[in-house]
Amino acid sequence: MLDSDWRDEPDRPHEACGVFGVYAPTLDVAKLTFFGLYALQHRGQESAGIAVSDGTTVRWHKHVGLVAQVFTEDILAQMPGHIAMGHTRYSTTGSNRVNNAHPVVEMCDLGRFALGHNGNLTNTLSLHDRLRRMGVKTSGSTDTELIALLIAHTPGATFVERLQAVLPLIEGAYSLVMLTPQSV
């Protein structure tokens, strides 16, 4: 590629979601994740969310707004655990409302789990149709919710088995982070 080929690209910031994860059994992972998201704020300024697991329970908080607007010391203090994931959103699909903020949290027979995602799926319509045929309704309008619902409603004895079944169905370019009560 020649240097002149880059001139067609507009000279402006390119937004994308920010995803952050931490495993630290002796530290305050909610606060660490807050600071990680704060550093990634430039990647998405529409909403922010954190999910934390203590090995038994998944707790989460998310809302529309900047990281420092969404989280307070009191909220972070109510999120004990040793593993956490966070997300700051720039929407590529779905509107900017709280039920489209990440992490997307779902409950299934294996327990509650949280999912964060960055990227674009190219087959959201077929995934939505698959869920509809399964009798599953969506509440938001993000491709991340589609992935979470597929995981929740796909047979499998473990989350790993469900991921092995669901991930081949997804087309596009993306990264995915998942937190379960049993996350290492």
Side-chain angles (χ1 to χ4, degrees), residues 150-174:
L150 284 168
I151 293 167
H153 295 279
T154 295
T158 67
F159 283 112
V160 171
E161 286 181 14
R162 290 177 186 211
L163 285 167
Q164 289 171 332
V166 169
L167 293 179
L169 304 174
I170 301 169
E171 297 172 5
Y174 62 93

Side-chain angles (χ1 to χ4, degrees), residues 48-129:
I50 295 174
V52 176
S53 176
D54 60 7
T56 305
T57 305
V58 172
R59 292 174 180 84
W60 72 97
H61 180 78
K62 64 182 181 177
H63 211 282
V64 173
L66 298 173
V67 174
Q69 295 168 326
V70 172
F71 295 99
T72 64
E73 288 284 339
D74 289 339
I75 289 169
L76 294 172
Q78 297 172 29
M79 300 178 77
H82 62 274
I83 188 167
M85 60 154 292
H87 190 278
T88 183
R89 185 165 188 257
Y90 168 77
S91 59
T92 53
T93 62
S95 59
N96 185 26
R97 54 188 184 162
V98 73
N99 64 333
N100 286 337
H102 295 201
V104 172
V105 179
E106 288 294 331
M107 182 68 160
C108 68
D109 58 323
L110 298 178
R112 190 174 312 277
F113 67 95
L115 193 71
H117 150 262
N118 179 27
N120 288 304
L121 306 187
T122 58
N123 65 332
T124 54
L125 293 177
S126 65
L127 296 175
H128 195 272
D129 287 343

